[in-house]
Amino acid sequence: MGGYGLRAVALALGLGLVWAFGAAAQGQAPQLSQSTTDHSKLKELQKDFASGPEVTAACLSCHTEAATQVKHSIHWKWEFENPSTGQILGKSHVVNSFCGTVASNEARCTSCHTGYGWTDMSAPPPSEATAVDCLVCHDTSGQYTKLDSAAGHPPLEAKGKTITGADAWAVDLKKAAQSVGAPGRENCGSCHFYGGGGDNVKHGDLSSALFHPGLDVDVHMSAEGENFTCSTCHHSDRHIFAGSRYDVHAMDPEGTGKPGQIRQDVATCESCHGTAPHKALSVTGMKLNDHVDRIACQTCHIPSFARGGVATKTGWDWSTAGRMDADGKPAHEENYVQGDGKALHTYLATKGDFEWGENVVPHYAWFNGQVEYTLTDKVIDPTQVVEINRIEGSPDDGRSRIWPFKRMEGRQAYDAGLNHLAYANVWGPTTDTAYWTNFDWAKAIEAGMAAAGKDYSGQYGFVDTHMYWPITHMVAPASDAVDCRECHAPQGRMAGITGVYLPGSNPTSPGALIGIAFFLAMASGVLLHTVLRIITRGGKGGKTHD
């Protein structure tokens, strides 16, 4: 650490103890920092910084292994090899039903990369250790941000837009560097809440409403509840975070061992609540525990998503993009006002038509944690809805549970000659191929496919798509959990899901046959009793009981 570092630690501890004794003398409870270092006192941070990489260089003078650790994470590589399917996934490879793909749109997409300067998807992220962005995760000053189109660099002047869509301001890098601490929800949310082009656009259960949610929005993150940060569940081990949509624990039979304490690799409900989470003091509690091996906790405890006044995008039709208004300018419409009063675009010439939803009831499906992606080398049937990421699972495999999902309905470009999903160059204000600049799909798709190194027939069309996003945030209070009748009803939430009992859903099932037999036996008994009464009354001269 060096002499100065040791003196800084001693000074910080000494000041903390002095403050604690002073507070105790005044009857106040001491609120000591969990950190042993006050970064505002470190010599290495007592200067003005001209760039993000300069700050990283200062960080690495003490935290020598941090950059190497970050470079082994999916946050850095944007790449994940599925051990079951062998597919190479991650942001740098998959096609999604929102903005499409990263290739040819790098400076825009990598504005949320945990680094600086990744401008070419045909090459790995920058190799320099100083290209790692420490501040995006560790700033606590509240004023660090990234530009929306500068490949991860922060704004150093009040010009442009930030990754959250706000007008940019000049970031004070010195202030940010001196403020560093453990990641808070603001750090994670600045990227994850705004993916896909805006607040809550992509996931549906990750929005700015989670910065300061009420108890009815999220019992874990609300100050009235547990007041968790994201890293409470998504524990970090050497800068690798537990929990990923590419590697989902659809069921966790191991049970308790809270994230970061006993088990380092999970972010499941069971890791805190166990495999029998309901109080077994009643028939109801025992029956609910009996559901745990078939129903994901989220299915009952997240009755709807996009709560808290922030809508999520539920439909996106790229094929209608390009319409101009009467003045020859790109058309736009704002015909949806979300719960917090903000008006949202329902049409943009650059992107097409949108649909929005709030308090959305999830789509349900059996899920074993595995997802097969439709990559650009897979032949599709354009007459059918293409599933961008097909959910795998079955009621009979012993590994699946019924999970809630956001199902994104899209219409997007494909190669009509080869029947492959297509990459498109949409962003690029200085190019003649970017769709958002020139509204020419032929040029945009040709450029996107070339940038990705993919074969292209030169013909394009548009195909309907579905994309699925697991819903696991916005856990509601227990009193708002899904009621039994909402699922076990002929037209309830589980309608269409196999392996679930619904009244009248399968009249030939063993349970239904037993019920029918029981009913017929009772009906026969009643009928026999009636016949005997009639005969008996006839034999007694018509006398009846009073």
Side-chain angles (χ1 to χ4, degrees), residues 290-451:
D290 189 48
H291 281 60
V292 169
D293 64 337
R294 305 281 283 175
I295 309 291
C297 302
Q298 296 90 328
T299 297
C300 293
H301 290 281
I302 307 178
S304 64
F305 58 90
R307 304 200 309 275
V310 182
T312 188
K313 193 169 289 185
T314 58
W316 188 333
D317 186 351
W318 280 96
S319 70
T320 62
R323 190 176 79 236
M324 302 294 153
D325 62 21
D327 297 326
K329 296 181 180 180
H332 61 89
E333 299 173 3
E334 293 182 350
N335 294 325
Y336 186 95
V337 178
Q338 65 185 16
D340 67 0
K342 181 180 179 181
L344 302 177
H345 284 109
T346 51
Y347 180 83
L348 283 171
T350 51
K351 299 180 179 181
D353 282 291
F354 307 134
E355 294 179 5
W356 299 89
E358 294 176 73
N359 302 305
V360 181
V361 173
H363 168 87
Y364 298 100
W366 287 101
F367 183 44
N368 63 16
Q370 294 300 315
V371 176
E372 182 179 354
Y373 275 76
T374 301
L375 303 176
T376 53
D377 58 355
K378 183 175 182 178
V379 175
I380 64 171
D381 179 357
T383 67
Q384 303 294 320
V385 175
V386 175
E387 292 189 318
I388 298 294
N389 54 340
R390 184 171 61 84
I391 301 165
E392 296 186 357
S394 163
D396 305 316
D397 63 13
R399 299 182 296 116
S400 298
R401 287 177 171 175
I402 297 174
W403 267 69
F405 294 87
K406 171 186 173 178
R407 185 172 74 180
M408 178 67 182
E409 298 182 358
R411 186 163 177 79
Q412 60 197 89
Y414 79 103
D415 183 328
L418 299 176
N419 285 339
H420 294 167
L421 290 176
Y423 285 45
N425 173 214
V426 295
W427 179 86
T430 61
T431 72
D432 64 354
T433 60
Y435 187 78
W436 293 352
T437 304
N438 295 307
F439 302 99
D440 188 330
W441 278 118
K443 286 184 177 181
I445 294 172
E446 183 178 7
M449 296 297 277

Side-chain angles (χ1 to χ4, degrees), residues 219-242:
V219 297
H220 293 124
M221 299 183 79
S222 173
E224 305 167 60
E226 299 297 332
N227 203 25
F228 284 175
T229 64
C230 303
S231 57
T232 305
C233 292
H234 297 281
H235 174 71
S236 171
D237 180 18
R238 287 166 288 188
H239 286 92
I240 296 176
F241 289 85

